[in-house]
Amino acid sequence: MIRLVTRDLALAVRAGGGFGLGLAFFLVVTVLVPFGVGPEAAILGPIAPGILWIGALLACLLSLDRVFALDREDGALDLLATAPLPMEGIALAKAAAHWLSTGLPLSLAAAPLGVLLSLPWPGHLWLALSLLMGTPALSLIGTFGAALTVGLRRGGPLLSLLVLPLYVPTLVFGADVARRGAAGLDPATPLALLGAVTLGCLAGLPFAAAAALRVSIR
Amino acid sequence: MRIAARGLTAGRGGVPVLSGMDFAVAPGRALILRGPNGAGKTTLLRTIAGLQPPMAGTVEPDRDAVAYGGHADGMKGQLTVAENLSFWAGLHRTGGIGAALDAFALAPLEDRLAQHLSAGQRRRLGLARMMVTGRPVWCLDEPTVSLDAANTARFAAMVRRHLEGGGTAVLATHIDLGLDAETLDVARHRAVFGDAARAAGAPA
């Protein structure tokens, strides 16, 4: 399983792997917001946690259609399915590789980007923490969606439609953690709920993704 | 390891393609599948490899004993020849990749990115993967496509060594590899369904 994760990371980092794509997209979205709503800190500050969370979420979505589609195109998915690795392990490894190449760099980049949106000070830490806790759920849900649509030609747009509604709980709790943190309130409750969503996804979705994969390689 | 199918019906997308298949392949022997395009050779191979469940009947051995090699070789263009093989060797927890590189004279290409290989070289890499799986049963779909005469001979030698080691192989191929093998014409097992079945009075 670790081999599959390291292979996918190597593929993501090498030419054409799309490693920096999500990060660059996140940066561009964040830079565009002040152009759209004006540069006043009084306006930007309160909406910054929500904007940054939505930006990270969309950046996550950008690389999802590659999760299984590339392996299916070149036949590697069939070979993986016959390898001594349970389908659940493949799904989990794919989600882990997606998080390490997308969710983790986004979480680390979010705090510096908060400065661009005049996010009030302690908010940066809470934003980074909420993304660190929430993005694994985004990768797991996205992997499940990718497994469902891997058999479809041009499944990318359908994948977005399937996955975005499932992102709502993570977005609500994640942005609330950052907002409360920035406003100096106690973010413990949304933080606990965010963790619960992520753990729930971790417990259930690899199995769902594996079932979807088994159907689509038939 | 022995391959055996009893009353096997194989199909794709819920439509039976082949039915009433009964065959057995003893260790050290190979089975060559023949039949026109679309006869169901790939469907049968995928069923034996466990990529899709049989629609009826049983097939041995368990999928954990089978290595499958399809039309697409599953090699990543951004990885080198050695990295590709090492990945599969690691996944199957087998030893080094030296023997597999030697079997197809891939050692000079070891550090070349797979995307810079020619079609024949890629195919050799895909076939070399079969050796690093360490599985006793090989299912190969049109393995000699884009191979030249010398490499077809290398491939035949690789399969022969595999059979001598007690392995078995099922190959869908149109050329004569000179193997000690039975031949199965899948066209004779074509499933009857839909209108044709009703006309013949057989259950669909």
Side-chain angles (χ1 to χ4, degrees):
Chain A
M1 223 174 102
I2 290 164
R3 284 177 193 276
L4 185 55
V5 175
T6 45
R7 183 201 69 157
D8 274 17
L9 284 179
L11 287 174
V13 174
R14 292 200 186 173
F19 171 70
L21 209 65
L23 264 180
F25 178 83
F26 190 36
L27 173 71
V28 170
V29 167
T30 315
V31 170
L32 281 182
V33 171
F35 288 116
V37 301
E40 293 90 9
I43 299 175
L44 277 178
I47 60 168
I51 298 282
L52 286 165
W53 250 94
I54 291 175
L57 190 145
L58 293 177
C60 238
L61 204 62
L62 216 55
S63 51
L64 273 184
D65 60 339
R66 313 170 64 99
V67 170
F68 292 115
L70 294 183
D71 276 339
R72 185 185 167 88
E73 262 166 38
D74 63 16
L77 194 58
D78 283 342
L79 306 184
L80 283 174
T82 55
L85 182 64
M87 210 63 116
E88 289 78 8
I90 296 174
L92 195 59
K94 286 284 182 181
H98 181 262
W99 183 71
L100 286 172
S101 62
T102 319
L104 183 64
L106 285 176
S107 309
L108 298 179
L113 286 179
V115 177
L116 289 178
L117 295 183
S118 323
L119 186 68
W121 158 239
H124 300 77
L125 294 180
W126 290 111
L127 178 72
L129 181 66
S130 67
L131 280 168
L132 273 177
M133 279 179 67
T135 43
L138 302 185
S139 290
L140 285 160
I141 295 170
T143 305
F144 168 59
L148 273 179
T149 55
V150 68
L152 305 173
R153 229 167 257 281
R154 308 215 164 262
L158 181 64
L159 170 62
S160 315
L161 284 181
L162 265 174
V163 159
L164 278 176
L166 298 175
Y167 279 177
V168 170
T170 306
L171 175 63
V172 168
F173 298 132
D176 204 36
V177 169
R179 190 164 40 244
R180 281 169 180 251
L185 301 169
D186 176 22
T189 310
L191 200 62
L193 287 168
L194 181 67
V197 170
T198 300
L199 290 175
C201 289
L202 184 63
L205 284 177
F207 296 96
L213 274 180
R214 280 196 194 97
V215 172
S216 54
I217 61 166
R218 257 176 212 176
Chain B
M1 189 177 271
R2 203 174 110 92
I3 309 174
R6 270 176 231 95
L8 179 68
T9 298
R12 289 211 83 167
V15 178
V17 181
L18 298 167
S19 68
M21 314 259 319
D22 282 286
F23 58 83
V25 188
R29 303 275 295 173
L31 180 70
I32 309 268
L33 303 180
R34 291 204 201 274
N37 295 147
K41 299 186 290 294
T42 299
T43 305
L44 177 59
L45 283 171
R46 290 179 67 89
T47 306
I48 297 173
L51 285 168
Q52 53 193 63
M55 293 180 74
T58 57
V59 61
E60 279 174 50
D62 194 61
R63 56 186 293 168
D64 290 338
V66 186
Y68 174 75
H71 293 283
D73 49 35
M75 293 298 148
K76 294 293 175 189
Q78 301 102 304
L79 300 181
T80 66
V81 168
E83 283 170 333
N84 268 308
L85 278 181
S86 305
F87 167 67
W88 291 106
L91 211 56
H92 285 272
R93 295 196 188 88
T94 53
I97 59 169
L101 286 172
D102 292 341
F104 280 99
L106 285 166
L109 303 169
E110 200 176 355
D111 296 320
R112 185 94 61 93
L113 289 183
Q115 63 193 354
H116 297 147
L117 297 179
S118 77
Q121 289 169 334
R122 257 189 105 94
R123 181 100 291 228
R124 277 152 66 192
L125 173 58
L127 291 172
R129 186 193 67 87
M130 300 303 286
M131 290 192 62
V132 303
T133 60
R135 296 262 171 104
V137 178
W138 289 359
C139 283
L140 286 162
D141 200 356
E142 304 279 4
T144 55
V145 171
S146 61
L147 287 188
D148 58 22
N151 284 302
T152 305
R154 283 198 183 106
F155 168 69
M158 175 180 91
V159 175
R160 214 169 287 127
R161 270 200 306 279
H162 173 66
L163 298 180
E164 278 162 11
T168 41
V170 186
L171 304 107
T173 181
H174 295 287
I175 65 164
D176 185 20
L177 291 166
L179 294 171
D180 178 19
E182 280 121 277
T183 303
L184 178 72
D185 185 2
V186 295
R188 288 189 292 123
H189 295 277
R190 183 166 281 184
V192 190
F193 64 96
D195 295 342
R198 273 192 290 280

